[in-house]
């Protein structure tokens, strides 16, 4: 539930912003864009390369936490400093359209071009198998479906008469997004949340069955099913956890079906 909630919030925010702003509705100063580009390099070093190097040397979790804090703080300080410095240049002080929609679509295409299970297997080989690490990996791979759905719904809502009237009245983008678009987005996102939660349960059980999911101290249906390897005569090790997992997934999909049906009746 926490993993799918965070992934849905990320997908909803990015998809709604991409659908609302498009490629030429959000203007950012060139100084900020240049500062963000330069601030990415220390973030990549302290947030990606250095934790990988520390893991290969058997470092503790306090070191990973320290590098993460360093990555965020240093990148933020550099972005603020470079932004203030670049604004002194006439060329960089001007604003330019930020291609929000195009950037999100390219990011989704890059991530979805890699099979999710293979991506998780590669990342799991680098990060130790803990609950926090698995949660982060699943959040990074499950937000794309919600983002694509939220973007498509936002493009549809943007063409509705009431939304065009709100734009003509001069409402801010924040009010358009929160007061007018968000109530229409919550229904489809809730359906995607239920389907995604069912898929997340199946994926977590698969990873735990392969012994790359949660740590051995935690209980998992997939790890229970994997117990058949040590005792092939104990059929209940597969039947009971497998049946409960299947019924849970079926219940979530049935719930999604009725939510979608109630939304369709409401629209009609």
């Amino acid at each position: 539930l926490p993993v799918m909630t965070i992934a849905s919030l990320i997908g909803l925010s990015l998809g709604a912003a991409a659908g609302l702003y498009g490629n030429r509705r959000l203007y950012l100063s060139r100084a900020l864009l240049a500062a963000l580009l330069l601030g990415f390099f220390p973030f990549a070093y302290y947030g990606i390369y250095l934790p990988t190097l520390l893991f290969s040397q058997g470092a503790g979790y306090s070191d990973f936490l320290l590098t993460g804090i360093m990555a965020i703080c240093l990148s933020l300080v550099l972005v603020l400093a470079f932004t203030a410095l670049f604004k002194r240049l006439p060329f960089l002080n001007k604003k330019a359209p930020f291609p929000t929609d195009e950037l999100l679509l390219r990011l989704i295409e890059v991530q979805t071009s890699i099979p999710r299970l293979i991506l998780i297997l590669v990342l799991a080989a680098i990060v130790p198998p803990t609950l926090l690490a698995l949660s982060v990996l699943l959040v990074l791979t499950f937000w794309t479906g919600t983002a694509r759905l939220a973007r498509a719904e936002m493009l549809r809502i943007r063409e509705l008469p009431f939304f065009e009237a709100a734009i003509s009245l001069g409402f801010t983008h924040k009010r358009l997004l929160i007061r007018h678009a968000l109530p229409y987005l919550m229904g489809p996102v809730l359906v995607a949340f239920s389907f995604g939660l069912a898929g997340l349960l199946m994926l977590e059980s698969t990873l735990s069955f392969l012994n790359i999911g949660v740590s051995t101290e935690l209980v998992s249906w997939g790890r229970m099913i994997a117990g058949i390897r040590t005792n092939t005569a104990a059929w209940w090790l597969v039947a009971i956890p497998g049946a409960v997992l299947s019924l849970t997934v079926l219940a979530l999909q049935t719930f999604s079906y009725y939510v979608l049906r109630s939304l369709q009746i409401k629209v009609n």
Side-chain angles (χ1 to χ4, degrees):
L1 284 173
V3 168
M4 197 61 211
T5 301
I6 297 174
S8 298
L9 290 176
I10 294 175
L12 176 62
S13 302
L14 295 179
L20 177 63
Y21 292 113
N23 292 323
R24 293 194 170 275
R25 290 185 176 88
L26 179 62
Y27 282 82
L28 299 177
S29 65
R30 295 174 180 175
L32 179 59
L33 294 177
L36 289 174
L37 181 61
L38 293 177
F40 173 76
F41 293 102
F43 181 82
Y45 177 78
Y46 287 100
I48 300 176
Y49 172 74
L50 194 57
T52 305
L53 185 62
L54 290 174
F55 172 72
S56 63
Q57 298 177 356
Y61 286 100
S62 59
D63 298 325
F64 289 102
L65 181 62
L66 183 61
T67 55
I69 296 175
M70 179 66 70
I72 296 174
C73 294
L74 183 60
S75 300
L76 184 60
V77 170
L78 288 178
V79 167
L80 294 176
F82 279 120
T83 302
L85 180 63
F86 288 158
K87 283 186 176 180
R88 300 176 180 272
L89 302 176
F91 175 75
L92 295 179
N93 196 26
K94 298 179 180 179
K95 291 186 176 182
F98 185 73
T100 310
D101 190 29
E102 188 72 20
L103 185 62
L104 179 66
L105 288 178
R106 298 291 83 79
L107 183 61
I108 292 177
E109 288 177 359
V110 170
Q111 184 165 340
T112 54
S113 63
I114 305 174
R116 180 177 294 163
L117 184 58
I118 295 179
L119 179 61
I120 292 177
L121 289 175
V122 172
L123 295 178
I126 302 174
V127 182
T130 61
L131 183 62
L132 179 61
L134 180 62
S135 300
V136 172
L137 292 179
L138 294 177
V139 167
L140 294 177
T141 55
F142 263 81
W143 65 271
T144 55
T146 306
R148 189 185 290 110
L149 176 64
R151 173 187 173 275
E153 285 295 314
M154 191 65 220
L155 291 176
R156 183 186 65 85
I157 294 171
R158 203 173 65 184
E159 302 299 328
L160 295 178
F162 82 93
F163 202 80
E164 293 180 350
I167 295 176
S168 64
L169 290 175
F171 292 159
T172 61
H173 286 132
K174 180 179 178 181
R175 180 172 180 177
L176 290 173
L177 186 60
I178 297 177
R179 294 283 301 274
H180 300 281
L182 191 60
Y184 284 84
L185 287 172
M186 291 307 297
V189 169
L190 180 60
V191 175
F193 175 85
S194 302
F195 277 108
L197 187 59
L200 187 60
L201 281 172
M202 296 297 296
L203 180 59
E204 187 277 328
S205 300
T206 303
L207 295 176
S208 297
F209 179 81
L210 298 174
N211 201 24
I212 58 175
V214 296
S215 59
T216 56
E217 292 82 8
L218 298 176
V219 180
S220 172
W221 282 327
R223 200 174 299 279
M224 289 180 183
I225 297 174
I228 194 66
R229 299 172 180 172
T230 58
N231 187 4
T232 55
W235 55 268
W236 55 88
L237 293 178
V238 175
I240 296 177
V244 175
L245 176 62
S246 301
L247 289 175
T248 305
V249 173
L250 179 62
L252 288 171
Q253 292 181 350
T254 304
F255 171 75
S256 303
Y257 167 75
Y258 282 105
V259 170
L260 181 60
R261 185 177 178 182
S262 63
L263 292 174
Q264 291 175 347
I265 294 175
K266 184 179 179 180
V267 172
N268 294 333

